[in-house]
Amino acid sequence: MRPYVEKRGAKYRVRARGDDGKLIPLGSGYDTAEDAEQAGWEAIIAMGRKEWVDPRKGDTTLHEWAEAWLPAQDVRRSTLDQYGYLIRTFILPFFGSRSLTSLAEADNEINAWEKQVATKYAASTAAAARARLATMLGDAAKRRLIARNPAERQRGRGRKGDNRLEDAKEEAWTDPLGALLIAERAALLTGRDDEFVMLITDAYTGMRFGELIGLERQYVRLSQIRVEWQLYQLNSGAIIRTPPKDGSRRSLDIPPFLSDLLSRQRQANPGPATQSREICACVKDMEPGEFGHPVDVHLFRGPAVSRPRLGAVPMSEVARIAGVSATTVSNVFNRPDIVKPETVARIRQIMKEVGFTGQQTQQTHSPHWRRDGFRTWVMTPATEGRYPAKGKHPAHPVPVMDGVPVRGRGASKRATESWLPITPGLTVHGLRHSHKTWMQEDEIHQILQHDRLGHEMDGIGATYTHVTPAMRRKLLDALTRRWEDALRRRAQLWPRSRVVMLDGLLESYRSAYRRYRTVVDLCGAQIISHSVPSGHGKAHHPFQVAGF
């Protein structure tokens, strides 16, 4: 076999004749015949070493390769869904129409693409998208569909300082008082104890968010929580039940105070007397037998929602019959003094005839919290004291009046107070970081730390070291001390709480403090309460206090 050089216009190409007698293209676009011949000999040598990539196979587009590659991946359903999201959202819109051959030297294009994605999304999202592209092209290179993997990141390249800053932003954590204040605010935001107990459980067990919302009543025991399942939200919106991440099923010891809180939560949300066989609708179009779960089996409920009351007559129907606007009907029902008396009498008669009561909706709750909804409406306002920007609505402070968040139209005008930040940037996962940090401070053995978080410990220590009852007792004692100290420091800030459950927990600490002007150090930030005398029968909350 030898190369044949041909001039095509102003450039040269090189080919060779294969065993079947057909000409094989070895390269094109060379400026001189010598360059083309040299490239031809290099390609023939690479063939002998079985290192040569046939450019005809590289005509496959990245879109075609992705369609063949993705279904072949042997990963969990949730991981496959994440792969598909990254490929469809970030990779194919930029490179889908490109042939694999044309991407072989596209290192600079891929670097620029990653930077562009990072300007609109989190840097971690851009890095994850590049990692999927690198995996796809790496598999293509193994099959000799492409000469090399241009998406593979070279070590020692890039600005290390920026990466370290990005990592630092993801490591927000808080101390036990911060966790208590955030949980208290969460309960005030939702108007119930579910979120208070859920966040305290997270801080003192290190459970993942999916494991928390997927915690079923049957796995909550007197001194332990059994982590058997998690609920995972797919990009389609479906929520499926799967084993915990990396198969980390485990039993978590819980201190007595947490056992008591979980028992109260179970009493507040006991579920049906008999377990239903109905599958929760959150699974959507996924296979119910594999990913579904019965309704009302979880300890923590989703957010409260208003749903249309069955058989209720809508206000619009009354307005249509009366020949007035729905606003006029609303005014008759709520503010009749601003409507003409004859109109009020006529509309009230119509209301009586059609059976309009004004109660068109009923309060219920969604089956589960979704990660984005919990972050937007609970976690961010609780930790930072402000709702995050969403769509056309900018970020704005949580309006507070008499210690309770104000809701409804004109809430910001009616508010007299606002919340100071507690731990900006803290997420639900950050409470898991906090739990790990507390265990490290309390000198809990590494084998128990890994076991509690559902991680695998590497090395010979993992083989020959085991969790002992003494280790477990030490951990529970340390968590109990942290909880009691958090309650004491919380009572020192202000002895009452609008959260009924927490107010009862503060009862034994109230008599210790009579005047409250205290500087409390919270992870390096000082939160100052105002000087307010005790003796109030009902808690009145100072302006801009830390979280209550």
Side-chain angles (χ1 to χ4, degrees), residues 294-350:
V295 296
D296 291 330
V297 299
H298 297 104
L299 183 66
F300 299 113
R301 297 170 290 185
V305 294
S306 296
R307 302 192 186 279
R309 187 180 297 275
L310 295 177
V313 178
M315 187 179 295
S316 58
E317 178 65 13
V318 177
R320 186 189 65 80
I321 297 174
V324 297
S325 67
T327 301
T328 302
V329 177
S330 176
N331 288 334
V332 168
F333 197 83
N334 297 297
R335 296 185 296 171
D337 54 297
I338 67 172
V339 184
K340 294 180 179 180
E342 57 271 20
T343 304
V344 172
R346 180 165 59 88
I347 292 178
R348 283 179 173 173
Q349 180 61 32
I350 295 173

Side-chain angles (χ1 to χ4, degrees), residues 24 46-47 157 181 266 325 333 344 350 405 440 466 499 532:
I24 303 171
M47 287 183 189
R157 301 292 296 273
L181 294 176
R266 187 162 184 167
S325 67
F333 197 83
V344 172
I350 295 173
Q440 194 70 22
H466 304 277
V499 178
V532 180

Side-chain angles (χ1 to χ4, degrees), residues 91-108:
I91 298 175
L92 295 185
F94 285 82
F95 303 113
S97 61
R98 297 278 295 274
S99 66
L100 295 178
T101 302
S102 70
L103 291 173
E105 303 295 335
D107 306 58
N108 292 335

